[in-house]
Amino acid sequence: RPLQVVECLGPDADDFGEEPLPLYPPSYQVYDEARSPLPLPLPKKPSDRDAHRRALEETFQVAHHIVAVQTSAPLFHGRCCTTGLLMILLLRLGAWLAGSMPGMVLLGIHMLTTVTDCVTAACVAPLFVQGTTGACVHLGCIGPMLTLVFSMCMADIGALAGYLAIATPRPLEAGSKSIVVVLEAIFGTWELLLFASVALEISLCSTCWMVYRELRMAGLYPPDHLPMVEPVGGYVSVFELVCEAEDAHKWSQGCSHPVSPCGGSCGHLITDLRAETEVPAAEVEEGFTI
């Protein structure tokens, strides 16, 4: 078919009374009637969010099932240790009400270990009551709880060390040779409760670490991680007892570097410093040196 040519001129000359200069050169627009229109873009299919949501829920269910199987024994041990701490607190209260008081020198040590038992039992109760699917895990409180339990355990061990350093046996009555009397003079009610408290604190700290490690290896902690998608390689650093996972990873990476001449593990710092102070080859040819 023939092409239709349309000439676009400037303003009409009659409007000005004389032939004006063209304001812009004539342009030609070519229309091809036989040209087919461009194909319309195909509409995009809507994203299947329900399928993604179901897949993510199944992943979470599998991860929680694995963690529940792996942490069944540690959770049971933790519940037993928590119950034991509560019983120790009741026995101390009973001894206090019965008038059996430790000496003034050891009173501060026993009060310290009593406070640590109360704080530890209150902190671990949500985890061992609700399990690994409770709010303690979803809110990201396992890490701070583990650090606090570890601190209370260290305080309890320090109280026991102080007792062993300053404690002296009570004097015996004249003519008393019974083994029971001698043992009671060396270890009284408060002393035995102190030993039991330290043992339960250590066991509870190790139990909390087992639960935390399984959650980390399954990808359920920290809460912003995807389960089974971001594994930790089967290894959880012990530095996470006292710091966050990211900081513990940095410390582990720092310890893996060679020891520098300054005596610290700062080999990676020396490597970075060398990279920053390297002189390009062009500058070296011109006479620049380090």
Side-chain angles (χ1 to χ4, degrees), residues 71-156:
T71 60
S72 58
L75 287 176
F76 176 75
H77 295 162
R79 295 184 181 104
C80 294
C81 293
T82 305
T83 305
L85 286 179
L86 295 177
M87 293 180 63
I88 288 178
L89 292 175
L90 293 178
L91 289 175
R92 282 173 176 157
L93 179 60
W96 181 283
L97 296 177
S100 177
M101 296 291 296
M104 295 302 298
V105 178
L106 302 177
L107 182 60
I109 293 178
H110 291 293
M111 291 299 103
L112 173 62
T113 184
T114 302
V115 172
T116 57
D117 292 345
C118 292
V119 173
T120 303
C123 289
V124 301
L127 173 63
F128 294 117
V129 171
Q130 299 177 352
T132 56
T133 59
C136 189
V137 178
H138 294 161
L139 297 178
C141 300
I142 297 294
M145 182 211 71
L146 180 63
T147 303
L148 184 59
V149 171
F150 178 73
S151 301
M152 295 298 102
C153 181
M154 292 296 101
D156 227 12

Side-chain angles (χ1 to χ4, degrees), residues 155-219:
D156 227 12
I157 294 175
L160 177 60
Y163 165 77
L164 296 177
I166 64 177
T168 55
R170 292 175 298 177
L172 298 175
E173 297 179 358
S176 179
K177 301 294 184 179
S178 174
I179 298 178
V180 177
V181 176
V182 174
L183 291 177
E184 288 181 351
I186 299 176
F187 302 108
T189 303
W190 290 87
E191 287 76 12
L192 294 178
L193 292 177
L194 174 60
F195 283 103
S197 173
V198 173
L200 289 175
E201 288 275 0
I202 295 175
S203 178
L204 194 57
C205 183
S206 63
T207 300
C208 292
W209 168 251
M210 293 178 185
V211 176
Y212 174 84
R213 184 181 60 187
E214 294 297 333
L215 289 171
R216 288 275 289 115
M217 293 179 65

Side-chain angles (χ1 to χ4, degrees), residues 54-71:
R54 289 193 298 268
L56 186 60
E57 289 178 355
E58 291 177 359
T59 305
F60 271 99
Q61 291 176 1
V62 172
H64 279 292
H65 177 71
I66 295 175
V67 171
V69 173
Q70 297 293 332
T71 60

